[in-house]
Amino acid sequence: MVVVVPLDCFSFHHCLRNHTTQLSLSSRSTTSTATTSTLHFHYPIIQAKLPFFTNSDSFQVGRPIGTYGFINITSYSAFPSGPGTDYSLKDLGGLKTQDVGEGDVKIRLYEGRVSRGPLTGTPVTFKVVYPGRRAGGVVADALAANELNTHLFLQSSSKGIAQHLALLVGGFETTTGEQWLAFRDDGKYSVADYAKIVSERLSKSREVSSWNPFEQGVTIKRRQSFIIKLLQGVMKGVAYLHDHDRLHQSLGPFSVVLNTISEKEGSYLIPRLRDLAFSVNVRYKELDDSGQLSEGLWRRASGAGAFTQMEKRAFGIADDIYEAGLLFAYLAFVPFCEAGVMDSLSLQRLLENTFQLDLEATREYCLADERLVNAVEFLDLGDGAGWELLQTMLNADFRKRPTAEAVLNHRFMTGAVL
């Protein structure tokens, strides 16, 4: 499993396949003079339906807005269970059965806009993948190329452009080997940003003893509605990917961008999936062509007993559903808790290690902690519909997990429980 994380302190250029295009570039910044570079595309480029810019002269680069990277988390190995089993709190609370490692690929984000062509003036967010190939960044190069071609494939679909996927409008490589991808700016905030802001707001509000109970109830109801709509958008994006034989493979709180984080504007909310660098093609004829980025997925598939092409494809789809289930759990807990009470890795440890994906036992544990009461009440909607859906998405047997379409049709996800 790959998790996208922020960095506070984390190819385009493949072996020549069909053709090579070289274009003259100048990288521009609002604060620096232009420098000339050359763009090298050593990969067959898919023709997208929308205008796609491969010349950096078509863009203006603005201020940096953030950095992030990846950590790798291997699938959990459950603790042994049975009579006489004794665990210490250290065992249950730690990552004893998980391997966590920081990835070598780093991402920088910049504001910008299109300065030429039919999309002139369109705000964009630049995603810069480094280190470049010329600096030894072979993995970064492969990730950038995979993300580029995945977006171009999806954006050339006869079924139209997906509303719940980030829209790529251009890409280029500098002479230093850095890969620049330009996405239409459909929002600055991720799900992680939203959860952090509302949990901090909740902490501050509870410091005020005169907070109106009626106002509190309205806020909670509004938050419940906002999160269900957010989850609907996420699953529509996942369904679109799976319908086009693509897996996401790095779905998490930082991989979903929101056009608004105001719960009062929930009717206008459009979540969009981003970070398709780890996307895997699961068309049957592609499954035997296992590349560098999918080795871990198929290794885990074999470990789960998926050996045939049909089983491997089913495992991959179910693996995305599992990641979506963890994101569901994150949204069910973090925004309803005060700041610092719960985070994504702690929640994953709780679900996988401590309770071994037994959601009924998890609920009993959470009921005893008053800090988690609002999260429990959210999942209790519709006579426990949230727990029911979460349990199926996190089923230890990949064969029993629902499809994205089945998740969307579940009574909790349709909003019928509100």
Side-chain angles (χ1 to χ4, degrees):
M1 178 182 300
V2 179
V3 180
V4 182
V5 296
L7 295 177
D8 296 324
C9 23
F10 214 128
S11 90
F12 283 10
H13 188 115
H14 280 258
C15 294
L16 183 61
R17 295 280 183 95
N18 295 341
H19 68 273
T20 300
T21 303
Q22 294 189 345
L23 300 174
S24 176
L25 295 184
S26 65
S27 299
R28 293 186 174 180
S29 171
T30 56
T31 59
S32 62
T33 58
T35 57
T36 302
S37 59
T38 303
L39 170 64
H40 303 274
F41 275 111
H42 296 270
Y43 206 89
I45 299 300
I46 300 167
Q47 181 63 46
K49 288 187 172 182
L50 293 177
F52 186 80
F53 304 98
T54 59
N55 190 322
S56 65
D57 280 343
S58 300
F59 300 100
Q60 287 187 345
V61 181
R63 67 183 181 91
I65 55 176
T67 59
Y68 64 94
F70 306 95
I71 58 173
N72 299 306
I73 303 178
T74 60
S75 292
Y76 75 98
S77 300
F79 285 106
S81 59
T85 302
D86 186 24
Y87 305 123
S88 69
L89 290 176
K90 181 179 179 181
D91 290 335
L92 294 178
L95 283 166
K96 185 175 181 180
T97 61
Q98 295 172 328
D99 291 325
V100 179
E102 182 178 332
D104 294 327
V105 179
K106 318 296 183 185
I107 305 294
R108 297 196 307 268
L109 299 178
Y110 294 87
E111 289 181 343
R113 67 182 183 89
V114 179
S115 58
R116 293 184 181 181
L119 299 182
T120 297
T122 300
V124 297
T125 298
F126 291 105
K127 179 179 181 179
V128 186
V129 185
Y130 69 98
R133 188 182 64 85
R134 292 169 179 77
V138 177
V139 174
D141 193 66
L143 290 172
N146 189 48
E147 186 160 14
L148 168 72
N149 281 278
T150 298
H151 275 283
L152 290 180
F153 168 77
L154 294 169
Q155 290 173 201
S156 65
S157 171
S158 60
K159 297 182 180 180
I161 303 298
Q163 183 183 35
H164 295 286
L165 295 181
L167 185 67
L168 182 69
V169 298
F172 53 89
E173 178 185 16
T174 67
T175 53
T176 60
E178 287 188 341
Q179 324 298 343
W180 286 63
L181 297 175
F183 294 90
R184 187 178 67 188
D185 185 358
D186 288 312
K188 293 288 192 298
Y189 294 101
S190 67
V191 164
D193 295 324
Y194 159 72
K196 180 176 183 291
I197 289 170
V198 297
S199 64
E200 289 175 349
R201 189 179 300 154
L202 181 61
S203 296
K204 292 179 180 178
S205 66
R206 289 185 174 172
E207 293 174 359
V208 182
S209 58
S210 60
W211 192 26
N212 189 322
F214 175 77
E215 181 182 345
Q216 178 183 4
V218 170
T219 299
I220 293 299
K221 285 291 184 184
R222 188 184 293 127
R223 184 159 303 159
Q224 291 173 347
S225 179
F226 186 90
I227 289 175
I228 287 179
K229 184 165 184 181
L230 196 167
L231 288 168
Q232 289 172 348
V234 168
M235 294 313 302
K236 286 177 182 177
V238 173
Y240 185 92
L241 287 173
H242 292 177
D243 190 45
H244 288 76
D245 297 313
R246 293 296 189 275
L247 306 180
H248 191 287
Q249 285 299 287
S250 60
L251 190 59
F254 293 95
S255 298
V256 182
V257 65
L258 308 176
N259 65 326
T260 180
I261 58 172
S262 172
E263 293 166 346
K264 293 181 179 179
E265 298 176 352
S267 58
Y268 303 103
L269 173 65
I270 302 177
R272 290 180 172 87
L273 306 188
R274 64 180 182 183
D275 297 320
L276 298 183
F278 291 92
S279 179
V280 175
N281 186 342
V282 289
R283 286 185 293 183
Y284 286 114
K285 66 179 182 179
E286 304 288 343
L287 289 175
D288 291 331
D289 185 21
S290 180
Q292 175 186 14
L293 300 179
S294 58
E295 288 178 355
L297 172 65
W298 302 136
R299 187 165 53 248
R300 289 186 287 112
S302 298
F307 300 105
T308 68
Q309 285 190 328
M310 186 174 294
E311 289 172 337
K312 287 170 67 177
R313 185 178 188 278
F315 178 88
I317 291 172
D319 199 51
D320 264 7
I321 297 300
Y322 187 90
E323 289 185 349
L326 291 177
L327 179 59
F328 176 15
Y330 176 89
L331 282 165
F333 278 87
V334 179
F336 291 101
C337 299
E338 294 185 44
V341 171
M342 190 68 73
D343 59 69
S344 59
L345 286 180
S346 297
L347 182 58
Q348 189 171 346
R349 289 198 301 264
L350 186 72
L351 294 169
E352 293 180 342
N353 295 349
T354 307
F355 295 107
Q356 301 178 44
L357 302 179
D358 183 342
L359 272 295
E360 185 176 346
T362 304
R363 181 182 181 277
E364 292 301 314
Y365 169 84
C366 294
L367 275 175
D369 191 336
E370 63 179 11
R371 300 174 302 170
L372 307 177
V373 62
N374 289 333
V376 173
E377 290 176 353
F378 177 53
L379 292 169
D380 277 350
L381 291 174
D383 195 24
W387 295 104
E388 175 187 277
L389 176 58
L390 192 55
Q391 181 69 81
T392 62
M393 295 176 73
L394 297 180
N395 197 303
D397 185 349
F398 76 89
R399 300 170 184 85
K400 296 180 180 179
R401 293 174 202 154
T403 64
E405 289 291 348
V407 172
L408 282 167
N409 291 326
H410 190 275
R411 60 197 179 99
F412 186 85
M413 201 64 71
T414 62
V417 296
L418 294 174

